[in-house]
Every structure is written in C-alpha cells, then in structure tokens.
Amino acid sequence: MVVVDPIITLFFFSLLLYPFSIFSNPTCKFTFLDSNKLYNYTLSSPIRNFPHGILSEDGFYKVAVNETTLWFQLCDGMVFNHDPPTCTDCRDCGGPTRCGMECSALVANNVGGYHICSTLGRGSKVDVDVIDKKNPHTGVIVKMSSGDPKNNCSLAVSVLCDIKGVQGPHTLQRLGDCNYATELKHPSGCAIIVDVHGRGWGWFGTLITIVLCLLAAYLLVGIAYRFFFLGIRGIEVIPNLDFWVSIPRRTQSLCGSLVRKFKGPSQGHRSTYSPVNF
C-alpha cells in the first residue's frame, strides 16, 4: 500500500515547525510513523533552554572509562577550545596539531603508555533510528562510522528522551574491535508528535493518479500534433472531440438506464404486451 497523506503532512509540518535551523544537517532529522501518529525528531533544531539543540556548547562530549577516552559531537564536527585530545596518531582526524577537528567522533586507547586514537565517525556517515519501535517515546539512536574500508570503526549514541535536562554521557561500551556505544539523556531526544488522520487512497488513489496523468499526456501530445503538423486551429485541435463532447450524454443515458433497472417501471409506464383473458 502506498501512503500519500502522512508524507505530505510531514513535509508541511516540517516547514512550519522548523523553517530555519542554525545547523541544517539533514542527517539529524528523522521521522517515524506509528499508527496515526507521526514522531518527528530534529536533533539539531533549537529548543527551550538549548539554542543549539543536541550539540554540546563545549564543542564536544567526553567520556572516559578505564584506559579509554571518547570524544564526540552529534550533528556536527568537534571543536576544541579547551582540553584537546592528545594522540600519537591522528592523521585522519586533523593531524597532531588539530586532532579531533576534522571528524565527529574520536576514541583514544592507552597502549603501552601512549594514547592511540581512532576515528569513529564523520558528519557524512550518520544514521538515525528510534531506539524502540514499540515505544518511540524512548528516544533515538545516532549511529556514525568512520567510512574507512580498512578499519571501519563506529559509534552508537543513544539519545534518551528527558525533558528535565542533559545527563551524561557516563558509560562507554566496546562492542567490537573498533565499535563503541554510549548514551545520554537530552530533551532533543523527545519527539514532536503529529496526529495523522487517514492513510491516503492507497492503491486505488495511485491507479487514478496514473490514469489521469496518462490521459493528460495523451491530450497534450494530440493537441501538439494536430496544431503544429496538421495545422488545425480552434476547438477542433482537441483529438477525438466528438467522443469527449458525447461523454455527458452517454453518462446521463447510462445513469438513467441504471435507475430504471433498479427502480423498475414507473407508474405511468405501459407495457408493450397486454394480458389476454381466455
């Protein structure tokens, strides 16, 4: 089934609710349709008490667990005005002098007393999805990857809905050789819910649309051919004009036949045959 109305509704509500965003990153916009409710998440849009949305005003989020330190920023690249990462190798994320400034997530592991850094995410490699499809109020999960085919690292950040304020990140999980996960609570993880009434016309509406488009294309091509190649002018330029003119009469006759068929003969109607008494 093809759903039309929710998509159109989403488009217009997006224009009304978020006409301008200081960080217009389309990867941080996500919508989820559940029954007649449309959950609209726009992590980078300004909200009350948070003019930068989900973005950390420090320029980055930081969490350190044991010998591992993680820096990341959601919906944008990281900016370090203080406490920059110190890594022995940061070639793919800004180099030693600008380490962390050219990626959106970076992890440092202490190996033999040296901090070895790996890029976990870039702004162009971001995917957003709801954490729990059965309970969209929970929040969303933002997945980012480095995009390096040789060392494909990634970070999954669960943004839990909390209207009270920001909490975390405090935990860090290692899911593989170079795959990490963390979570934080933020009001931007709460969706704006739009009630969507109806599911569109479905396949019937799609069929009608296709037929009307084909009919319009036929008329346009026919008119152009008769006008430019046959030199016909005036109303006669419409192809099969007699047929189109007869449509109202045909429709009226068909409706009349159907009415007589279902209502039966009228009171004033006299049958061709008369009963004969023997």
Side-chain angles (χ1 to χ4, degrees):
M1 178 179 290
V2 178
V3 180
V4 178
D5 290 350
I7 299 176
I8 298 175
T9 304
L10 165 63
F11 174 76
F12 283 103
F13 268 96
S14 298
L15 292 178
L16 292 175
L17 296 175
Y18 304 109
F20 300 100
S21 175
I22 55 177
F23 297 101
S24 57
N25 191 338
T27 59
C28 283
K29 296 181 180 180
F30 178 75
T31 57
F32 178 71
L33 182 63
D34 183 25
S35 297
N36 291 332
K37 293 184 177 180
L38 190 68
Y39 294 82
N40 189 11
Y41 305 87
T42 308
L43 301 179
S44 60
S45 292
I47 57 177
R48 184 179 180 182
N49 298 328
F50 297 94
H52 305 293
I54 193 68
L55 276 76
S56 172
E57 294 185 357
D58 293 333
F60 60 91
Y61 292 96
K62 181 180 180 180
V63 55
V65 177
N66 298 329
E67 298 296 326
T68 302
T69 305
L70 171 69
W71 299 267
F72 69 92
Q73 179 69 291
L74 296 174
C75 305
D76 203 358
M78 293 185 289
V79 177
F80 291 94
N81 295 319
H82 63 90
D83 193 20
T86 55
C87 302
T88 57
D89 185 8
C90 197
R91 290 176 298 176
D92 57 345
C93 191
T97 59
R98 303 180 69 254
C99 185
M101 301 286 281
E102 295 183 6
C103 62
S104 55
L106 186 71
V107 66
N109 291 290
N110 194 329
V111 181
Y114 295 94
H115 290 89
I116 306 299
C117 283
S118 301
T119 300
L120 299 182
R122 299 187 181 278
S124 59
K125 303 290 184 180
V126 178
D127 184 28
V128 183
D129 198 359
V130 290
I131 297 175
D132 185 0
K133 288 183 170 58
K134 296 182 179 179
N135 186 17
H137 295 280
T138 304
V140 295
I141 183 169
V142 181
K143 298 179 181 179
M144 58 187 79
S145 60
S146 62
D148 186 358
K150 296 181 180 180
N151 191 18
N152 189 16
C153 300
S154 65
L155 173 65
V157 181
S158 298
V159 182
L160 304 177
C161 173
D162 190 347
I163 60 175
K164 298 179 180 179
V166 181
Q167 300 182 36
H170 301 299
T171 61
L172 179 62
Q173 293 181 330
R174 188 166 184 170
L175 307 178
D177 294 336
C178 196
N179 301 295
Y180 296 84
T182 187
E183 68 177 32
L184 59 90
K185 295 181 179 180
H186 199 284
S188 293
C190 304
I192 293 180
I193 303 175
V194 179
D195 288 328
V196 180
H197 300 287
R199 292 295 193 95
W201 288 357
W203 66 267
F204 180 75
T206 304
L207 178 62
I208 294 297
T209 303
I210 294 175
V211 171
L212 291 177
C213 290
L214 292 176
L215 178 61
Y218 162 76
L219 290 176
L220 289 176
V221 173
I223 291 174
Y225 174 76
R226 293 168 67 85
F227 184 87
F228 292 104
F229 293 93
L230 301 182
I232 300 176
R233 299 294 185 268
I235 195 173
E236 296 294 334
V237 76
I238 300 176
N240 298 319
L241 180 61
D242 294 338
F243 171 76
W244 302 115
V245 172
S246 66
I247 287 181
R249 179 177 53 80
R250 292 171 181 265
T251 303
Q252 183 179 7
S253 177
L254 177 61
C255 292
S257 299
L258 292 175
V259 170
R260 287 193 298 270
K261 180 178 180 181
F262 288 102
K263 290 183 63 177
S266 60
Q267 296 180 355
H269 176 76
R270 297 182 61 183
S271 175
T272 306
Y273 301 98
S274 301
V276 178
N277 297 324
F278 293 96

